[in-house]
Amino acid sequence: SFEANPPFVPEMMDLMLSRIEALLADTSRAALSFLVVIPAWGAGVRCCRDLERSKHCRASTRIAAASHGFCDGAQHLDNVRDRYRPSSWDTAV
């Protein structure tokens, strides 16, 4: 099992999805699973829509921005910045 949390750039998310779909379609590989975490920008972003429609999708959910946050990956660069930050948008899992 793998977690995928790509940079939140639509083109990068599309490339990630293409790679995951190719890996999952390869029947010569052992069983694989992915947990994908991306912003829930809605149907306007192809990756969000295509992930939920994938034949490989077993479950999906949306987490409201107000009910979660994240650990800032750059906290080591700035001692003043809070390590934990509120989410700017809903998240699709």
Side-chain angles (χ1 to χ4, degrees), residues 15-58:
L15 288 170
M16 174 213 59
L17 178 56
S18 294
R19 181 67 177 142
I20 287 173
E21 288 283 353
L23 289 168
L24 292 172
D26 184 352
T27 58
S28 69
R29 292 184 168 273
L32 292 173
S33 63
F34 292 88
L35 176 107
V36 180
V37 180
I38 58 173
W41 290 333
V45 175
R46 184 174 52 229
C47 184
C48 294
R49 182 189 64 236
D50 291 352
L51 271 170
E52 290 176 341
R53 292 179 181 172
S54 171
K55 71 178 184 176
H56 302 289
C57 182
R58 298 294 176 251

Side-chain angles (χ1 to χ4, degrees), residues 75-93:
Q75 78 271 10
H76 63 286
L77 299 176
D78 186 352
N79 292 333
V80 177
R81 185 181 3 213
D82 289 333
R83 180 175 181 185
Y84 301 103
R85 299 183 52 197
S87 182
S88 300
W89 42 74
D90 294 351
T91 296
V93 179

